[in-house]
Amino acid sequence: MGLSIVASGAIILIVLISVSFSLVYINAYAAISNENTYRISRTVDEYRFGTLIKITNVTFVSLDRLNVTVKNIGNTKIWRYQFCDVMVSYTANVSGTLYQLSTRLVYSSSGGVGTWSVLKIVNDFVDPGILNPNESMILSVVLPYSAVSGTSMVLVFVTDNGVWDSYGVIVP
């Protein structure tokens, strides 16, 4: 009888020690995971806080095509254009009927109806194709429908990390 009590006590002690070591391991792993998450979050925040843009000019080529100048006034490079957004709100002429239209245009390196593309980066001597700090890029915007002369238009450009600027203009 005494031997069975000692044996069951030893088994319970081994189980308790195993559970304790498992809890210590899980706690240490959670701390490492939290530290890694914090580092990633801080890197993303630093990238976002260093990004600042300004729409400086809008030029109408026609009632459905315009060029938009965006200047990088922050200290981070912008190059992932496929993750950037251009949104436009304007009065559209759709088959003779006027509609107030708000639309998100799709990035395309070749252009097309309802798209935007990077036409050129002004003075792009460092890192060709990348919008460096203090550089400006000219976007070619092709609207899905023609704008109506004399009405207002609002353009919004959003970077890949959510920093944005807007610009209002009267359609000529």
Side-chain angles (χ1 to χ4, degrees):
M1 175 108 175
L3 185 61
S4 64
I5 292 174
V6 171
S8 63
I11 291 172
I12 291 173
L13 185 62
I14 290 171
V15 168
L16 287 175
I17 291 172
S18 298
V19 168
S20 297
F21 280 128
S22 296
L23 291 176
V24 168
Y25 175 75
I26 290 170
N27 191 21
Y29 183 75
I32 291 170
S33 177
N34 285 342
E35 184 179 343
N36 289 339
T37 303
Y38 172 75
R39 285 183 185 160
I40 292 170
S41 175
R42 182 150 182 192
T43 301
V44 169
D45 286 345
E46 287 174 357
Y47 176 65
R48 186 167 194 273
F49 291 143
T51 305
L52 193 57
I53 56 160
K54 181 76 177 157
I55 299 174
T56 58
N57 190 28
V58 174
T59 305
F60 284 83
V61 178
S62 65
L63 290 177
D64 63 347
R65 291 181 182 270
L66 47 142
N67 293 337
V68 179
T69 305
V70 178
K71 184 171 185 175
N72 183 351
I73 57 175
N75 59 13
T76 57
K77 299 177 181 187
I78 299 170
W79 74 92
R80 299 182 331 162
Y81 305 120
Q82 69 271 21
F83 299 113
C84 296
D85 284 317
V86 172
M87 292 168 279
V88 183
S89 182
Y90 68 105
T91 304
N93 183 353
V94 181
S95 301
T97 305
L98 304 183
Y99 292 100
Q100 185 61 36
L101 182 64
S102 295
T103 185
R104 175 185 171 266
L105 304 174
V106 178
Y107 172 76
S108 170
S109 58
S110 59
V113 175
T115 65
W116 69 276
S117 59
V118 177
L119 190 61
K120 72 177 183 174
I121 297 177
V122 180
N123 297 327
D124 192 19
F125 303 119
V126 179
D127 300 327
I130 295 176
L131 184 63
N132 291 300
N134 296 317
E135 288 182 346
S136 295
M137 69 178 167
I138 299 175
L139 308 178
S140 175
V141 175
V142 183
L143 301 173
Y145 301 100
S146 295
V148 176
S149 293
T151 61
S152 62
M153 174 183 287
V154 177
L155 292 113
V156 178
F157 180 79
V158 185
T159 65
D160 61 334
N161 60 4
V163 175
W164 61 274
D165 190 34
S166 64
Y167 193 90
V169 64
I170 300 296
V171 179

